[in-house]
Amino acid sequence: MQNLVTVFGGSGFIGAQTVRQLAKAGWRIRVAVRNPAKAYAMRLHGDVGQIDIVQANVRNPASLRRALVGAQAAVNLVAVAHETGRQGFTALHVMGAKNVAEAARAEGVTRLVHMSALGADANSESKYARTKAEGEAAVRAVYPDAVIARPSVVFGPEDDFFNRFAAMAQISPVLPLVGGGHTRFQPVFVGDVGKALATMASAPDAAGRTYELGGPATFSFRELMELMLAEIGKRRLLLPIPWPAARLLGSLGDLSLSLLGDGLIKPPVTSDQVTLLKVDNVVSGAFPGLVDLGITPTTLEAVLPDYLYRYRKGGQYADQEERELAAV
């Protein structure tokens, strides 16, 4: 354990897998988070003394530099799916990314890996996609040899996609299909993303490259909902929502976030997410991907049963026949 890597946002869904893979590769790891008290379990992902937890905020350059002292590499995973209060797209995706890059350069960090998103586009109507592209540009302006990762929707035990809709299916007889459910996705397993980011932190030929991370198959949004419902043994009406009605639904989601914040009650969609759903979320083929990093993409069908069982009647002990009978 000679080299030190600082992982910003390392206690999150993708961060936990990234830290685990970096630990397996022999790195010493400094997990930089806003609230270290909530990240103590991260030390369990490595050997005793291999992982340390420190406080840092991407809006505070001084805290970033403290977190980067002595580091040879840095991975920035800080992002939000929707805006709440000071946690805005521009503040985190653009200014935060710029702050991390400048702090890393000032501390002599050799390799910077930056998490973006598939569909990042400076000309997008979606503020999320637009600020992701602006963040990439801000990082590359400081680090021309930074490594950019653009994953499609990421799935796994703690994801905010299948878990959200499976939970919704527990209480609602209807699931909305924004724009008819035709948007295509290429879901990628969180374990594969973690392996990819850990590889990017040290692979010499990754310098300056952008990677598009997608799974082995593409699905429409409707197909993903059908797959999820079949796995949890529920029959629900999949209701196509035309774009004008979807925009209204998204506005209600925005209102919910402004009044209730990002708490236990989460809206199915925001107005910016509705805009984002107008464009397919699949790899373009113009950039390298998981296979180029030596990673065989994991199928959706191989992983979903491992965590969606919690939404079935009978849970993990329900066999296929019982699940079919329980489908209501």
Side-chain angles (χ1 to χ4, degrees):
M1 294 189 297
Q2 299 300 317
N3 292 331
L4 173 66
V5 56
T6 299
V7 182
F8 295 97
S11 64
F13 171 52
I14 296 174
Q17 292 292 330
T18 304
V19 169
R20 182 178 288 112
Q21 294 300 325
L22 287 166
K24 286 183 178 180
W27 288 86
R28 288 187 300 118
I29 304 157
R30 187 179 288 151
V31 180
V33 294
R34 285 192 301 156
N35 190 341
K38 295 182 178 180
Y40 66 92
M42 294 303 301
R43 292 189 175 92
L44 301 177
H45 294 307
D47 294 332
V48 175
Q50 186 177 10
I51 300 171
D52 191 21
I53 314 297
V54 299
Q55 195 282 332
N57 189 321
V58 296
R59 295 193 301 267
N60 184 329
S63 72
L64 298 178
R65 291 198 60 172
R66 287 194 297 270
L68 288 162
V69 172
Q72 285 75 48
V75 180
N76 181 23
L77 305 176
V78 177
V80 288
H82 48 253
E83 297 184 294
T84 51
R86 297 179 67 187
Q87 299 295 95
F89 291 147
T90 299
L92 300 185
H93 297 172
V94 185
M95 298 308 301
K98 180 175 180 288
N99 289 341
V100 169
E102 290 179 342
R105 179 61 77 196
E107 291 299 327
V109 173
T110 303
R111 171 63 56 86
L112 175 62
V113 179
H114 176 73
M115 173 68 82
S116 184
L118 207 58
D121 182 357
N123 298 314
S124 174
E125 295 179 17
S126 162
K127 187 177 181 181
Y128 174 88
R130 196 166 58 248
T131 54
K132 279 293 189 179
E134 292 170 358
E136 289 184 11
V139 168
R140 283 272 168 79
V142 180
Y143 267 88
D145 59 348
V147 188
I148 306 293
R150 295 176 177 172
S152 183
V153 60
V154 182
F155 68 91
E158 304 302 325
D159 70 44
D160 195 37
F161 186 82
F162 288 106
N163 280 300
R164 174 175 296 200
F165 288 103
M168 190 184 303
Q170 304 302 298
I171 59 175
S172 174
V174 177
L175 294 180
L177 296 178
V178 173
H182 303 299
T183 308
R184 295 188 305 138
F185 296 88
Q186 198 166 344
V188 59
F189 177 47
V190 65
D192 294 341
V193 175
K195 289 179 183 178
L197 293 167
T199 302
M200 293 174 195
S202 59
D205 59 352
R209 304 184 79 178
T210 296
Y211 291 86
E212 292 186 336
L213 308 180
T218 60
F219 302 84
S220 68
F221 186 79
R222 174 184 283 275
E223 289 171 335
L224 291 175
M225 292 299 97
E226 291 172 343
L227 189 62
M228 178 272 294
L229 289 171
E231 189 56 49
I232 67 174
K234 299 290 185 185
R235 292 195 183 103
R236 294 293 182 259
L237 174 64
L238 296 176
L239 182 64
I241 306 293
W243 292 114
R247 285 194 292 271
L248 176 60
L249 182 64
S251 297
L252 293 175
D254 295 342
L255 181 62
S256 173
L257 286 172
S258 65
L259 295 177
L260 303 176
D262 191 15
L264 294 177
I265 301 177
K266 297 185 178 182
V269 69
T270 65
S271 58
D272 193 74
Q273 288 168 348
V274 169
T275 301
L276 199 59
L277 285 169
K278 292 181 178 180
V279 180
D280 289 339
N281 196 250
V282 299
V283 302
S284 66
F287 298 91
L290 289 175
V291 174
D292 299 278
L293 292 166
I295 300 167
T296 301
T298 304
T299 66
L300 191 61
E301 295 84 351
V303 177
L304 281 186
D306 291 342
Y307 66 99
L308 288 187
Y309 69 80
R310 72 190 78 171
Y311 301 101
R312 301 180 202 141
K313 184 177 181 180
Q316 61 183 315
Y317 301 105
D319 61 24
Q320 184 62 37
E321 182 178 358
E322 290 173 335
R323 287 161 57 193
E324 292 174 355
L325 291 173
V328 293

